């Protein structure tokens, strides 16, 4: 892996603001946003009788109503917009993997803030002026492509807008234009690394040093595999379209959690069942309130993302609360025979087995009274001609790894290389056929 010299370059004073000053700024902005969101009929009803001046402490945040994805869908398409249509600068949308799309309008100020927030985590992760960045995210309603594009340019780096897909062309760009950094989902980074190896191109023939990955949960084991395959230093970043897109939080070079931009967001970590705060450092569901968003502000938005929050000082000098890597979504969690399982746990287990490729699908059904989970796993090309005994041993090795991580036994089906779907955007790993 190439080494990156820590820059510890901080773009904005707010990133290193003392905690008490930050809390004072957050309170002031919360008071203003409470009055502002009443432009939206949903909040005018939910916050009837509550004025910004009534909020005298951040502890009162818990008395405010939640907002859910379903609420936003019920307001389709403009029900949560807080600005006139002629003041819209751009509209993005959620990925729409289930149900109706959620459209998110941005004001001109929103776009400026968004660009700055993205540039924060890029600089924190080692990007420097003069670097060349290949963006292999889709450009369109998905916030990843445009969000990273303008954020990269704001740092003084240059962009190759490769967009998503066409892996052969992506590799040609990496080889011929020699970018310093790449942006994509971690699952697509795995695909690129695999294709680079298959093409015969040596890591040393590429100029890649940095990878900025987001858009889906991924494990430390996946990070290690990507770094080994591509010879880069990889960092994680977090965001969602309903809040702003990428830029809500991101790792610095210390990589001990993603720094939240607390001057723009109030973040809580709650038990997804009781909706009460979890102790510091324990996992729960992230709930976010936007403090500066004009186009579509949200109050206590339930992200469904499972993470934990940490307030200890970071050596980089940034003082914002840090979130751990997202381990999954509360609505993606599988309950199999009474045990909670996230797809990232399967990924973690597979990446411990070097003979298995990190490409898998989870099939869940209930043929009788008990749940049955089968994990289809690709074998590496060099294992394709292995003996029956070697294949049986590999399957048992994978089963043991999954059992050690999840606590339950799953069936394992080994499949030939390149037979499972590759994902250019967010990976979809689960097929659940159990009766509802």
């Amino acid at each position: 892996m190439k080494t990156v010299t820590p820059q510890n370059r901080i773009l904005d004073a707010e990133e290193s603001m003392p905690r008490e000053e930050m809390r004072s700024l957050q309170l002031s902005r919360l008071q203003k946003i409470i009055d502002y969101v009443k432009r939206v009929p949903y909040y005018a009803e939910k916050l009837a009788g509550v004025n910004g001046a009534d909020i005298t402490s951040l502890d009162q945040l818990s008395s405010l109503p939640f907002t859910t994805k379903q609420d936003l869908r019920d307001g389709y398409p403009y029900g949560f917009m807080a600005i006139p249509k002629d003041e819209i600068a751009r509209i993005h949308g959620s990925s729409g993997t289930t149900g109706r799309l959620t459209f998110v309008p941005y004001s001109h100020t929103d776009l400026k803030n968004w660009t700055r927030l993205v540039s924060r985590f890029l600089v924190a992760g080692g990007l420097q002026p003069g670097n060349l960045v290949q963006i292999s995210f889709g450009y369109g309603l998905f916030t990843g492509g445009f969000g990273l594009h303008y954020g990269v340019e704001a740092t003084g780096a240059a962009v190759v807008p490769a967009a998503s897909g066409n892996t052969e062309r992506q590799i040609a760009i990496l080889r011929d234009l020699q970018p310093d950094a790449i942006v994509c989902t971690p699952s697509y980074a795995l695909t690129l690394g695999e294709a680079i190896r298959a093409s015969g191109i040596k890591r040393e023939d590429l100029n890649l040093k940095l990878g900025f990955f987001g858009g889906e949960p991924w494990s430390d084991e996946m990070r290690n595999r990507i770094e080994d395959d591509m010879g880069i230093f990889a960092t994680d970043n977090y965001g969602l379209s309903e809040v702003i897109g990428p830029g809500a939080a991101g790792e610095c070079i210390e990589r001990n959690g993603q720094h939240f931009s607390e001057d723009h967001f109030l973040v809580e970590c709650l038990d997804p069942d009781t909706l009460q705060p979890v102790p510091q450092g324990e996992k729960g569901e992230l709930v976010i309130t936007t403090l500066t968003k004009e186009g579509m502000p949200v109050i206590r938005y339930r992200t469904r993302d499972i993470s934990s929050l940490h307030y200890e000082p970071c050596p980089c000098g940034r003082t914002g609360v840090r979130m751990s890597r997202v381990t999954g979504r509360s609505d993606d969690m599988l309950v199999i025979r009474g045990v909670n399982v996230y797809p990232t746990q399967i990924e973690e287990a597979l990446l411990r087995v070097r003979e298995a490729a990190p490409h898998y699908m989870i099939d869940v059904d209930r043929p009788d009274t008990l749940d049955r989970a089968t994990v289809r796993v690709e074998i590496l090309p060099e294992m394709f001609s292995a003996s029956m005994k070697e294949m049986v041993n590999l399957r048992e090795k994978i089963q043991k790894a999954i059992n050690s991580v999840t606590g339950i036994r799953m069936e394992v089906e080994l499949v030939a290389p390149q037979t499972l779907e590759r994902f250019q955007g967010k990976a979809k790993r689960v097929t659940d056929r159990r009766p509802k």
Side-chain angles (χ1 to χ4, degrees):
M1 183 185 75
K2 298 181 177 71
T3 58
V4 176
T5 302
Q7 299 296 312
N8 285 345
R9 190 156 57 97
I10 296 178
L11 285 184
D12 302 314
E14 290 84 355
E15 293 182 84
S16 56
M17 183 178 284
R19 293 298 306 164
E20 286 307 310
E21 289 185 30
M22 177 57 70
R23 288 179 65 82
S24 177
L25 175 62
Q26 288 180 316
L27 177 59
S28 173
R29 290 183 170 178
L30 178 62
Q31 291 169 333
K32 292 177 182 177
I33 205 71
I34 291 299
D35 293 330
Y36 180 84
V37 295
K38 291 183 180 180
R39 301 179 179 198
V40 176
Y42 174 88
Y43 289 122
E45 177 184 347
K46 293 287 186 178
L47 296 172
V50 179
N51 299 310
D54 299 328
I55 306 298
T56 58
S57 168
L58 292 179
D59 293 337
Q60 292 174 262
L61 182 64
S62 61
S63 67
L64 302 179
F66 292 103
T67 309
T68 67
K69 182 81 166 184
Q70 189 58 51
D71 292 329
L72 301 184
R73 287 179 177 144
D74 290 344
Y76 180 91
Y78 290 117
F80 276 77
M81 186 168 66
I83 55 176
K85 286 181 70 174
D86 60 5
E87 293 182 16
I88 296 174
R90 193 189 304 162
I91 294 177
H92 281 284
S94 67
S95 56
T97 52
T98 59
R100 175 181 281 173
L101 270 170
T102 299
F103 290 119
V104 182
Y106 293 72
S107 71
H108 289 280
T109 298
D110 291 336
L111 293 182
K112 290 178 182 177
N113 287 338
W114 187 18
T115 294
R116 194 64 176 180
L117 295 181
V118 172
S119 63
R120 282 182 182 180
F121 76 71
L122 292 169
V123 168
L127 193 66
Q128 301 178 48
N131 284 163
L132 181 63
V133 183
Q134 180 168 328
I135 296 180
S136 300
F137 268 147
Y139 281 73
L141 285 175
F142 173 57
T143 54
F146 284 103
L148 268 296
H149 184 113
Y150 291 110
V152 167
E153 291 182 340
T155 70
V159 172
V160 182
S164 62
N166 196 334
T167 299
E168 184 177 341
R169 183 183 63 187
Q170 299 279 353
I171 294 174
I173 292 172
L174 289 171
R175 180 194 62 219
D176 298 341
L177 296 185
Q178 293 286 295
D180 303 274
I182 188 165
V183 168
C184 60
T185 61
S187 57
Y188 192 55
L190 274 177
T191 298
L192 283 175
E194 181 181 71
I196 289 170
R197 288 198 312 273
S199 71
I201 296 174
K202 298 178 181 179
R203 291 189 330 186
E204 295 74 21
D205 295 334
L206 303 178
N207 189 47
L208 277 179
K209 306 175 187 70
L210 302 170
F212 297 94
F213 304 122
E216 63 188 11
W218 54 310
S219 62
D220 284 330
E221 286 78 9
M222 182 183 277
R223 187 197 324 245
N224 294 338
R225 179 68 65 89
I226 291 170
E227 289 185 330
D228 287 345
D229 285 349
M230 303 186 77
I232 60 175
F233 182 91
T235 54
D236 195 8
N237 60 80
Y238 175 76
L240 58 164
S241 61
E242 296 86 354
V243 169
I244 199 167
E251 284 184 311
C252 67
I253 288 181
E254 300 294 335
R255 298 199 301 192
N256 60 352
Q258 300 178 63
H259 294 274
F260 238 96
S261 287
E262 290 191 278
D263 50 329
H264 292 270
F265 309 102
L266 265 172
V267 58
E268 306 169 77
C269 192
L270 308 181
D271 183 302
D273 296 320
T274 67
L275 298 180
Q276 295 301 307
V278 299
Q280 181 180 326
E282 291 192 10
K283 290 183 179 180
E285 179 183 330
L286 298 183
V287 175
I288 299 176
T289 297
T290 60
L291 297 176
T292 59
K293 193 85 176 291
E294 292 181 344
M296 198 187 86
V298 289
I299 302 295
R300 304 192 79 197
Y301 181 72
R302 292 192 61 183
T303 68
R304 301 290 184 176
D305 292 323
I306 302 298
S307 179
S308 57
L309 298 180
H310 304 264
Y311 292 84
E312 301 85 0
C314 180
C316 76
R318 292 172 179 82
T319 54
V321 63
R322 288 170 288 112
M323 59 174 281
S324 68
R325 183 185 299 278
V326 171
T327 57
R329 292 175 54 83
S330 60
D331 50 2
D332 282 348
M333 181 182 72
L334 295 167
V335 180
I336 301 173
R337 298 192 293 277
V339 178
N340 298 341
V341 178
Y342 290 102
T344 49
Q345 292 178 289
I346 307 301
E347 172 189 297
E348 177 185 343
L350 292 178
L351 288 166
R352 295 180 180 181
V353 182
R354 292 298 301 185
E355 300 92 335
H359 302 290
Y360 66 96
M361 291 294 295
I362 307 169
D363 299 317
V364 186
D365 60 6
R366 187 180 295 141
D368 41 49
T369 59
L370 294 177
D371 295 333
R372 179 178 62 188
T374 302
V375 183
R376 287 181 286 141
V377 183
E378 283 188 12
I379 59 173
L380 294 176
E382 53 266 34
M383 289 290 296
F384 194 57
S385 58
S387 67
M388 180 64 70
K389 182 179 179 181
E390 288 174 315
M391 297 293 274
V392 169
N393 289 340
L394 174 58
R395 185 168 63 247
E396 290 178 351
K397 189 174 182 180
I398 294 172
Q399 283 180 324
K400 288 179 180 178
I402 292 174
N403 181 261
S404 69
V405 174
T406 65
I408 62 173
R409 178 180 172 81
M410 296 187 182
E411 297 298 321
V412 172
E413 178 184 338
L414 301 178
V415 300
Q418 301 293 324
T419 54
L420 296 180
E421 182 179 358
R422 299 298 191 265
F423 299 95
Q424 299 168 11
K426 297 181 180 181
K428 303 174 185 64
R429 303 287 193 188
V430 179
T431 301
D432 193 339
R433 299 187 179 90
R434 289 175 294 184
K436 301 299 182 182

